[in-house]
Amino acid sequence: MMMGTKLVTLLFILILTLISVPFSAAFHVGVNYGTVANNLPPPHQVANFLKTKTNINHVKIFDANPEILAAFSGTTGISLTVTVPNSDIPSLSKLPKARSWLSNSILPFLPETSIRYIAVGNEVIATSNKTLIGHLLPAMESLASALHLANVTGISVSTPHSLGILSGSSEPPSSGKFREGYDKAIFAPMLNFHNRTKSPFMVNPYPYFGFGPETLNYALFNSIDVVVVDPVTKLNYTNMFDAQVDAVYSAMKRLGYGDVDIVVAETGWPSAGETNQTGVGLEYAAAYNGNLVKHVNSGKGTPLMPNRVFETYIFSLFNENLKPSVSEQNYGLFKPDFTPVYDVGIMKTDQVRLY
Ligand SMILES: *[C@@H]1O[C@H](CO)[C@@H](O)[C@H](O)[C@H]1NC(C)=O
Ligand SMILES: *[C@@H]1O[C@H](CO)[C@@H](O)[C@H](O)[C@H]1NC(C)=O
Ligand SMILES: *[C@@H]1O[C@H](CO)[C@@H](O)[C@H](O)[C@H]1NC(C)=O
Ligand SMILES: *[C@@H]1O[C@H](CO)[C@@H](O)[C@H](O)[C@H]1NC(C)=O
Ligand SMILES: *[C@@H]1O[C@H](CO)[C@@H](O)[C@H](O)[C@H]1NC(C)=O
């Protein structure tokens, strides 16, 4: 009798350990909570849904909407990335403005709302707007100083970039470099900032924008065979996501900053598009995002960055009905009523199903 009870208890503990360890220890996937829609649920419902029904522990928003910041108050375990709108960048390059923005927009919500990053603008280099680009790093510096002066620790400052920051000849991955004219002038000082302030470099890789008829499976993480061999490093690539992230890493390393952390601030795949679009649909979106979640949480990193983990934010939490095109309206993991468009292994119930 005793032996039997002990054995059952031991087995029970073993099973519990097997179930809980891989998840609690290794969930690095977040979502972008975009709100270009007129049918989304109120922020407090969204916060409650994410907390109680999903394993999502990072949420990125495209503004500093006070209603959203308040809604995530007390949601232990979920941390936010808030975004400064591009149009505010020039004024925030002045320290007094950065300090008042911080006092008005962020400090009232601390510490009940957990804020991890302030993203200064979104894909600013891609705007080609010289005023914005010229004020970007000064605004990042001012906000970092403002945080320091307010004695805030635990929030770091960054800015997400599109892959357009790389020069056209960034294939194979080891040849990745920043666009000429931007490398020394923009990225060297920016990476110096990241290295000094221990903040990550944020990039938005989208294999969806990079695939062709021959490379759809490679883009979806569905190739079993090696698809690209980097002739310089002899490393094998089986998916385009790794190749894109490694190209960014090569560009950073070329400037001496290979140790700066990388955060994947956006990536995703639409579940619907125009009728004439190929590679767009539910099964493709489910494949890309599902494989992405597994890949990121495996902790195996990329060929050039083995075993490095990149916090990765899927675009997007919801389908957004006011975006301009059908495909842009259909990046969401969820419909506005919280029903999943498809499941990618982020629901709490998935833990049970996987074992
Ligand atoms: C650049 O951005 C600033 C700030 O948003 C804006 O006022 C200006 O009109 C933009 N310039 C161009 C050429 O678009
Ligand atoms: C920050 O901390 C310093 C020393 O600990 C203190 O003198 C200062 O008043 C604090 N500033 C704020 C804004 O809390
Ligand atoms: C790359 O794949 C080839 C097979 O296609 C294999 O022979 C080679 O050992 C692999 N290289 C590495 C570094 O894993
Ligand atoms: C990055 O920062 C470390 C100190 O944390 C320093 O040793 C290193 O030289 C810096 N890298 C560059 C390229 O400046
Ligand atoms: C697809 O259809 C849209 C209109 O629905 C059209 O504007 C676009 O040019 C078409 N693209 C191709 C590649 O045929």
Side-chain angles (χ1 to χ4, degrees):
M1 268 302 275
M2 281 305 282
M3 282 298 281
T5 315
K6 269 191 186 154
L7 206 63
V8 168
T9 311
L10 273 176
L11 268 175
F12 188 66
I13 290 171
L14 186 71
I15 289 167
L16 272 185
T17 310
L18 281 174
I19 290 176
S20 59
V21 165
F23 289 96
S24 52
F27 210 82
H28 308 286
V29 176
V31 286
N32 281 274
Y33 172 12
T35 55
V36 186
N38 60 12
N39 57 355
L40 296 183
H44 73 270
Q45 281 183 20
V46 176
N48 188 54
F49 169 76
L50 289 173
K51 183 186 167 184
T52 58
K53 297 288 198 287
T54 76
N55 288 317
I56 293 295
N57 48 17
H58 307 297
V59 172
K60 178 166 163 284
I61 60 176
F62 290 95
D63 52 24
N65 181 341
E67 207 194 329
I68 297 182
L69 294 187
F72 281 88
S73 161
T75 46
T76 347
I78 298 184
S79 61
L80 295 185
T81 298
V82 303
T83 302
V84 171
N86 285 0
S87 56
D88 286 353
I89 289 172
S91 70
L92 293 188
S93 65
K94 310 280 185 301
L95 182 59
K97 278 280 169 40
R99 293 186 78 179
S100 60
W101 183 85
L102 192 71
S103 293
N104 297 329
S105 306
I106 302 295
L107 299 186
F109 301 98
L110 302 180
E112 290 79 11
T113 299
S114 163
I115 297 175
R116 183 171 171 83
Y117 301 119
I118 295 175
V120 181
N122 190 37
E123 301 191 347
V124 171
I125 309 295
T127 67
S128 301
N129 181 319
K130 291 206 170 70
T131 308
L132 291 182
I133 294 171
H135 286 94
L136 178 57
L137 183 56
M140 293 165 73
E141 297 271 15
S142 292
L143 281 164
S145 300
L147 285 164
H148 185 69
L149 289 169
N151 291 339
V152 175
T153 52
I155 302 183
S156 48
V157 174
S158 188
T159 184
H161 301 286
S162 75
L163 275 200
I165 58 173
L166 297 182
S167 93
S169 55
S170 290
E171 267 177 71
S174 64
S175 73
K177 48 174 119 38
F178 293 114
R179 268 160 63 179
E180 209 169 320
Y182 287 79
D183 50 355
K184 295 276 168 14
I186 305 280
F187 290 106
M190 189 180 285
L191 286 162
N192 182 281
F193 167 86
H194 288 306
N195 192 46
R196 253 188 293 125
T197 61
K198 308 264 177 282
S199 55
F201 192 70
M202 291 184 164
V203 289
N204 300 342
Y206 276 93
Y208 170 67
F209 293 123
F211 81 90
E214 315 277 276
T215 53
L216 179 59
N217 280 329
Y218 180 59
L220 295 173
F221 300 86
N222 273 344
S223 319
I224 294 138
D225 299 327
V226 172
V227 177
V228 171
V229 180
D230 189 317
V232 178
T233 59
K234 309 280 185 256
L235 291 171
N236 291 333
Y237 285 82
T238 56
N239 69 79
M240 194 182 284
F241 176 85
D242 279 353
Q244 291 185 339
V245 175
D246 272 358
V248 172
Y249 167 78
S250 298
M252 293 165 67
K253 190 155 186 270
R254 204 174 291 282
L255 296 176
Y257 294 100
D259 291 334
V260 166
D261 267 340
I262 295 175
V263 163
V264 173
E266 274 186 42
T267 188
W269 200 286
S271 63
E274 312 298 339
T275 46
N276 59 2
Q277 281 185 284
T278 55
V280 181
L282 208 59
E283 66 272 40
Y284 302 106
Y288 179 77
N289 285 317
N291 289 332
L292 174 79
V293 169
K294 279 187 220 135
H295 184 61
V296 169
N297 286 333
S298 75
K300 69 180 180 200
T302 67
L304 282 178
M305 294 177 282
N307 307 317
R308 263 174 72 170
V309 165
F310 315 102
E311 218 171 276
T312 296
Y313 294 74
I314 294 177
F315 185 87
S316 186
L317 177 55
F318 292 114
N319 281 337
E320 294 171 71
N321 67 353
L322 298 181
K323 287 275 175 117
S325 70
V326 177
S327 58
E328 286 175 272
Q329 289 164 11
N330 286 283
Y331 274 89
L333 299 177
F334 296 94
K335 296 176 190 165
D337 66 359
F338 296 115
T339 54
V341 180
Y342 48 88
D343 183 18
V344 294
I346 58 168
M347 306 304 286
K348 287 200 193 289
T349 49
D350 290 328
Q351 296 185 14
V352 176
R353 202 182 311 156
L354 279 166
Y355 283 87

